[in-house]
mmCIF file of all heavy atoms in Angstrom:
data_model
loop_
_atom_site.group_PDB
_atom_site.id
_atom_site.type_symbol
_atom_site.label_atom_id
_atom_site.label_comp_id
_atom_site.label_asym_id
_atom_site.label_seq_id
_atom_site.Cartn_x
_atom_site.Cartn_y
_atom_site.Cartn_z
ATOM 1 N N ILE A 19 110.937 116.733 103.847
ATOM 2 C CA ILE A 19 110.645 117.196 102.496
ATOM 3 C C ILE A 19 111.469 116.369 101.524
ATOM 4 O O ILE A 19 112.686 116.244 101.667
ATOM 5 C CB ILE A 19 110.962 118.693 102.357
ATOM 6 C CG1 ILE A 19 110.130 119.484 103.375
ATOM 7 C CG2 ILE A 19 110.708 119.167 100.935
ATOM 8 C CD1 ILE A 19 110.532 120.918 103.529
ATOM 9 N N LEU A 20 110.786 115.803 100.533
ATOM 10 C CA LEU A 20 111.439 114.948 99.538
ATOM 11 C C LEU A 20 112.017 115.800 98.419
ATOM 12 O O LEU A 20 111.360 116.723 97.921
ATOM 13 C CB LEU A 20 110.426 113.957 98.968
ATOM 14 C CG LEU A 20 110.981 112.885 98.040
ATOM 15 C CD1 LEU A 20 111.870 111.907 98.820
ATOM 16 C CD2 LEU A 20 109.854 112.128 97.358
ATOM 17 N N ILE A 21 113.219 115.487 98.005
ATOM 18 C CA ILE A 21 113.967 116.109 96.901
ATOM 19 C C ILE A 21 113.790 117.625 96.847
ATOM 20 O O ILE A 21 113.584 118.216 95.793
ATOM 21 C CB ILE A 21 113.689 115.453 95.535
ATOM 22 C CG1 ILE A 21 112.214 115.459 95.172
ATOM 23 C CG2 ILE A 21 114.262 114.044 95.511
ATOM 24 C CD1 ILE A 21 111.902 114.937 93.761
ATOM 25 N N GLN A 22 113.897 118.254 98.006
ATOM 26 C CA GLN A 22 113.847 119.709 98.153
ATOM 27 C C GLN A 22 112.565 120.315 97.586
ATOM 28 O O GLN A 22 112.561 121.437 97.104
ATOM 29 C CB GLN A 22 115.085 120.352 97.517
ATOM 30 C CG GLN A 22 116.367 119.878 98.168
ATOM 31 C CD GLN A 22 117.605 120.401 97.507
ATOM 32 O OE1 GLN A 22 117.653 120.667 96.309
ATOM 33 N NE2 GLN A 22 118.651 120.543 98.296
ATOM 34 N N GLY A 23 111.492 119.533 97.606
ATOM 35 C CA GLY A 23 110.206 120.024 97.116
ATOM 36 C C GLY A 23 110.056 119.997 95.610
ATOM 37 O O GLY A 23 109.014 120.380 95.079
ATOM 38 N N ARG A 24 111.092 119.522 94.916
ATOM 39 C CA ARG A 24 111.038 119.490 93.445
ATOM 40 C C ARG A 24 110.039 118.444 92.957
ATOM 41 O O ARG A 24 109.511 117.650 93.718
ATOM 42 C CB ARG A 24 112.429 119.208 92.873
ATOM 43 C CG ARG A 24 113.409 120.352 93.129
ATOM 44 C CD ARG A 24 114.709 120.199 92.344
ATOM 45 N NE ARG A 24 115.254 118.859 92.372
ATOM 46 C CZ ARG A 24 116.185 118.431 93.224
ATOM 47 N NH1 ARG A 24 116.663 119.233 94.142
ATOM 48 N NH2 ARG A 24 116.636 117.193 93.163
ATOM 49 N N THR A 25 109.842 118.427 91.672
ATOM 50 C CA THR A 25 108.831 117.593 91.035
ATOM 51 C C THR A 25 109.272 116.138 90.912
ATOM 52 O O THR A 25 110.399 115.846 90.518
ATOM 53 C CB THR A 25 108.512 118.147 89.628
ATOM 54 O OG1 THR A 25 108.035 119.485 89.778
ATOM 55 C CG2 THR A 25 107.477 117.315 88.916
ATOM 56 N N LEU A 26 108.343 115.251 91.240
ATOM 57 C CA LEU A 26 108.495 113.822 90.997
ATOM 58 C C LEU A 26 107.448 113.467 89.949
ATOM 59 O O LEU A 26 106.246 113.548 90.209
ATOM 60 C CB LEU A 26 108.271 113.032 92.292
ATOM 61 C CG LEU A 26 108.638 111.552 92.274
ATOM 62 C CD1 LEU A 26 110.139 111.364 92.004
ATOM 63 C CD2 LEU A 26 108.270 110.902 93.590
ATOM 64 N N ASN A 27 107.902 113.159 88.759
ATOM 65 C CA ASN A 27 106.986 112.893 87.645
ATOM 66 C C ASN A 27 106.285 111.550 87.798
ATOM 67 O O ASN A 27 106.696 110.702 88.588
ATOM 68 C CB ASN A 27 107.743 112.949 86.311
ATOM 69 C CG ASN A 27 108.182 114.345 85.972
ATOM 70 O OD1 ASN A 27 107.401 115.288 86.039
ATOM 71 N ND2 ASN A 27 109.452 114.501 85.628
ATOM 72 N N ARG A 28 105.264 111.367 87.004
ATOM 73 C CA ARG A 28 104.492 110.121 86.999
ATOM 74 C C ARG A 28 105.428 108.918 86.826
ATOM 75 O O ARG A 28 106.232 108.870 85.905
ATOM 76 C CB ARG A 28 103.492 110.168 85.852
ATOM 77 C CG ARG A 28 102.736 108.892 85.667
ATOM 78 C CD ARG A 28 101.875 108.952 84.440
ATOM 79 N NE ARG A 28 101.138 107.715 84.294
ATOM 80 C CZ ARG A 28 100.340 107.469 83.292
ATOM 81 N NH1 ARG A 28 100.161 108.362 82.343
ATOM 82 N NH2 ARG A 28 99.705 106.325 83.226
ATOM 83 N N GLY A 29 105.313 107.972 87.738
ATOM 84 C CA GLY A 29 106.099 106.742 87.637
ATOM 85 C C GLY A 29 107.531 106.865 88.123
ATOM 86 O O GLY A 29 108.219 105.862 88.269
ATOM 87 N N ASP A 30 108.011 108.088 88.378
ATOM 88 C CA ASP A 30 109.385 108.259 88.854
ATOM 89 C C ASP A 30 109.499 107.846 90.319
ATOM 90 O O ASP A 30 108.505 107.832 91.043
ATOM 91 C CB ASP A 30 109.834 109.707 88.697
ATOM 92 C CG ASP A 30 110.176 110.060 87.251
ATOM 93 O OD1 ASP A 30 110.128 109.170 86.374
ATOM 94 O OD2 ASP A 30 110.482 111.240 87.008
ATOM 95 N N TRP A 31 110.710 107.546 90.731
ATOM 96 C CA TRP A 31 110.934 107.116 92.096
ATOM 97 C C TRP A 31 112.239 107.689 92.622
ATOM 98 O O TRP A 31 113.117 108.078 91.858
ATOM 99 C CB TRP A 31 110.928 105.596 92.207
ATOM 100 C CG TRP A 31 111.837 104.910 91.237
ATOM 101 C CD1 TRP A 31 111.527 104.517 89.972
ATOM 102 C CD2 TRP A 31 113.211 104.574 91.426
ATOM 103 N NE1 TRP A 31 112.621 103.939 89.372
ATOM 104 C CE2 TRP A 31 113.666 103.965 90.243
ATOM 105 C CE3 TRP A 31 114.089 104.719 92.489
ATOM 106 C CZ2 TRP A 31 114.970 103.513 90.096
ATOM 107 C CZ3 TRP A 31 115.390 104.265 92.342
ATOM 108 C CH2 TRP A 31 115.810 103.663 91.151
ATOM 109 N N VAL A 32 112.316 107.725 93.927
ATOM 110 C CA VAL A 32 113.503 108.180 94.659
ATOM 111 C C VAL A 32 113.782 107.126 95.721
ATOM 112 O O VAL A 32 112.848 106.559 96.292
ATOM 113 C CB VAL A 32 113.234 109.543 95.342
ATOM 114 C CG1 VAL A 32 114.399 109.949 96.218
ATOM 115 C CG2 VAL A 32 112.936 110.614 94.312
ATOM 116 N N GLN A 33 115.053 106.871 95.978
ATOM 117 C CA GLN A 33 115.376 105.899 97.022
ATOM 118 C C GLN A 33 116.477 106.436 97.930
ATOM 119 O O GLN A 33 117.293 107.258 97.514
ATOM 120 C CB GLN A 33 115.764 104.550 96.447
ATOM 121 C CG GLN A 33 117.098 104.514 95.740
ATOM 122 C CD GLN A 33 117.418 103.120 95.254
ATOM 123 O OE1 GLN A 33 116.595 102.211 95.268
ATOM 124 N NE2 GLN A 33 118.636 102.917 94.808
ATOM 125 N N PHE A 34 116.462 105.961 99.153
ATOM 126 C CA PHE A 34 117.508 106.283 100.108
ATOM 127 C C PHE A 34 117.548 105.174 101.153
ATOM 128 O O PHE A 34 116.650 104.330 101.217
ATOM 129 C CB PHE A 34 117.286 107.659 100.769
ATOM 130 C CG PHE A 34 116.018 107.771 101.562
ATOM 131 C CD1 PHE A 34 115.985 107.449 102.917
ATOM 132 C CD2 PHE A 34 114.849 108.199 100.959
ATOM 133 C CE1 PHE A 34 114.814 107.551 103.641
ATOM 134 C CE2 PHE A 34 113.666 108.317 101.678
ATOM 135 C CZ PHE A 34 113.649 107.995 103.022
ATOM 136 N N LYS A 35 118.600 105.186 101.948
ATOM 137 C CA LYS A 35 118.746 104.199 103.016
ATOM 138 C C LYS A 35 118.919 104.919 104.340
ATOM 139 O O LYS A 35 119.433 106.032 104.390
ATOM 140 C CB LYS A 35 119.959 103.301 102.751
ATOM 141 C CG LYS A 35 119.803 102.436 101.515
ATOM 142 C CD LYS A 35 121.046 101.636 101.231
ATOM 143 C CE LYS A 35 120.846 100.835 99.942
ATOM 144 N NZ LYS A 35 122.089 100.192 99.528
ATOM 145 N N TYR A 36 118.467 104.258 105.398
ATOM 146 C CA TYR A 36 118.669 104.760 106.747
ATOM 147 C C TYR A 36 118.900 103.572 107.671
ATOM 148 O O TYR A 36 118.618 102.431 107.317
ATOM 149 C CB TYR A 36 117.477 105.615 107.208
ATOM 150 C CG TYR A 36 116.204 104.851 107.489
ATOM 151 C CD1 TYR A 36 115.903 104.407 108.777
ATOM 152 C CD2 TYR A 36 115.300 104.566 106.469
ATOM 153 C CE1 TYR A 36 114.733 103.704 109.038
ATOM 154 C CE2 TYR A 36 114.135 103.867 106.719
ATOM 155 C CZ TYR A 36 113.851 103.439 108.006
ATOM 156 O OH TYR A 36 112.704 102.739 108.250
ATOM 157 N N ALA A 37 119.432 103.841 108.849
ATOM 158 C CA ALA A 37 119.671 102.785 109.832
ATOM 159 C C ALA A 37 119.099 103.244 111.173
ATOM 160 O O ALA A 37 119.391 104.345 111.646
ATOM 161 C CB ALA A 37 121.161 102.487 109.957
ATOM 162 N N ALA A 38 118.278 102.381 111.752
ATOM 163 C CA ALA A 38 117.621 102.706 113.023
ATOM 164 C C ALA A 38 117.272 101.410 113.745
ATOM 165 O O ALA A 38 117.334 100.324 113.166
ATOM 166 C CB ALA A 38 116.361 103.523 112.765
ATOM 167 N N ASP A 39 116.877 101.543 115.002
ATOM 168 C CA ASP A 39 116.511 100.367 115.781
ATOM 169 C C ASP A 39 115.363 99.592 115.144
ATOM 170 O O ASP A 39 115.319 98.371 115.208
ATOM 171 C CB ASP A 39 116.116 100.773 117.206
ATOM 172 C CG ASP A 39 117.323 101.199 118.034
ATOM 173 O OD1 ASP A 39 118.399 100.607 117.860
ATOM 174 O OD2 ASP A 39 117.174 102.142 118.829
ATOM 175 N N LYS A 40 114.432 100.337 114.544
ATOM 176 C CA LYS A 40 113.291 99.669 113.903
ATOM 177 C C LYS A 40 112.863 100.447 112.663
ATOM 178 O O LYS A 40 113.195 101.623 112.502
ATOM 179 C CB LYS A 40 112.124 99.516 114.878
ATOM 180 C CG LYS A 40 111.571 100.820 115.384
ATOM 181 C CD LYS A 40 110.424 100.592 116.345
ATOM 182 C CE LYS A 40 109.856 101.941 116.780
ATOM 183 N NZ LYS A 40 108.640 101.821 117.524
ATOM 184 N N GLN A 41 112.113 99.779 111.820
ATOM 185 C CA GLN A 41 111.599 100.405 110.600
ATOM 186 C C GLN A 41 110.679 101.559 110.977
ATOM 187 O O GLN A 41 109.847 101.434 111.878
ATOM 188 C CB GLN A 41 110.849 99.357 109.773
ATOM 189 C CG GLN A 41 110.382 99.867 108.440
ATOM 190 C CD GLN A 41 109.829 98.744 107.578
ATOM 191 O OE1 GLN A 41 110.353 97.645 107.573
ATOM 192 N NE2 GLN A 41 108.772 99.045 106.851
ATOM 193 N N PHE A 42 110.834 102.696 110.294
ATOM 194 C CA PHE A 42 110.092 103.893 110.681
ATOM 195 C C PHE A 42 108.667 103.932 110.140
ATOM 196 O O PHE A 42 107.727 104.178 110.867
ATOM 197 C CB PHE A 42 110.848 105.152 110.234
ATOM 198 C CG PHE A 42 110.105 106.417 110.551
ATOM 199 C CD1 PHE A 42 109.943 106.826 111.865
ATOM 200 C CD2 PHE A 42 109.539 107.175 109.546
ATOM 201 C CE1 PHE A 42 109.244 107.985 112.173
ATOM 202 C CE2 PHE A 42 108.835 108.335 109.845
ATOM 203 C CZ PHE A 42 108.690 108.737 111.157
ATOM 204 N N GLY A 43 108.499 103.710 108.858
ATOM 205 C CA GLY A 43 107.168 103.818 108.242
ATOM 206 C C GLY A 43 106.868 105.234 107.803
ATOM 207 O O GLY A 43 106.147 105.959 108.483
ATOM 208 N N PHE A 44 107.436 105.654 106.704
ATOM 209 C CA PHE A 44 107.232 107.006 106.183
ATOM 210 C C PHE A 44 105.820 107.145 105.628
ATOM 211 O O PHE A 44 105.416 106.394 104.737
ATOM 212 C CB PHE A 44 108.260 107.324 105.092
ATOM 213 C CG PHE A 44 109.638 107.535 105.637
ATOM 214 C CD1 PHE A 44 110.512 106.477 105.771
ATOM 215 C CD2 PHE A 44 110.048 108.796 106.037
ATOM 216 C CE1 PHE A 44 111.781 106.669 106.286
ATOM 217 C CE2 PHE A 44 111.314 108.996 106.554
ATOM 218 C CZ PHE A 44 112.185 107.933 106.682
ATOM 219 N N ASN A 45 105.089 108.136 106.138
ATOM 220 C CA ASN A 45 103.715 108.384 105.689
ATOM 221 C C ASN A 45 103.626 109.749 105.029
ATOM 222 O O ASN A 45 103.879 110.770 105.681
ATOM 223 C CB ASN A 45 102.735 108.335 106.879
ATOM 224 C CG ASN A 45 102.638 106.954 107.457
ATOM 225 O OD1 ASN A 45 102.465 105.982 106.737
ATOM 226 N ND2 ASN A 45 102.752 106.852 108.761
ATOM 227 N N PRO A 46 103.261 109.784 103.742
ATOM 228 C CA PRO A 46 103.096 111.090 103.083
ATOM 229 C C PRO A 46 101.949 111.858 103.731
ATOM 230 O O PRO A 46 100.935 111.273 104.105
ATOM 231 C CB PRO A 46 102.752 110.725 101.634
ATOM 232 C CG PRO A 46 102.887 109.265 101.503
ATOM 233 C CD PRO A 46 102.991 108.672 102.859
ATOM 234 N N ILE A 47 102.132 113.170 103.861
ATOM 235 C CA ILE A 47 101.089 114.013 104.443
ATOM 236 C C ILE A 47 100.681 115.166 103.520
ATOM 237 O O ILE A 47 99.659 115.801 103.756
ATOM 238 C CB ILE A 47 101.512 114.577 105.824
ATOM 239 C CG1 ILE A 47 102.803 115.371 105.713
ATOM 240 C CG2 ILE A 47 101.601 113.466 106.844
ATOM 241 C CD1 ILE A 47 103.178 116.148 106.968
#
């Protein structure tokens, strides 16, 4: 769940970093 389910307005963005063996590929559902 992104930003605790709160609102992401038009054009707004959120960023974060993670470390893993390979790139995950986040798919919105």
Side-chain angles (χ1 to χ4, degrees):
I19 301 169
L20 187 68
I21 57 174
Q22 299 176 330
R24 293 191 316 265
T25 300
L26 191 62
N27 291 311
R28 174 186 181 182
D30 284 357
W31 51 272
V32 174
Q33 70 178 10
F34 62 90
K35 295 176 182 172
Y36 71 94
D39 288 324
K40 62 180 183 171
Q41 185 172 321
F42 177 69
F44 288 90
N45 293 311
I47 58 171

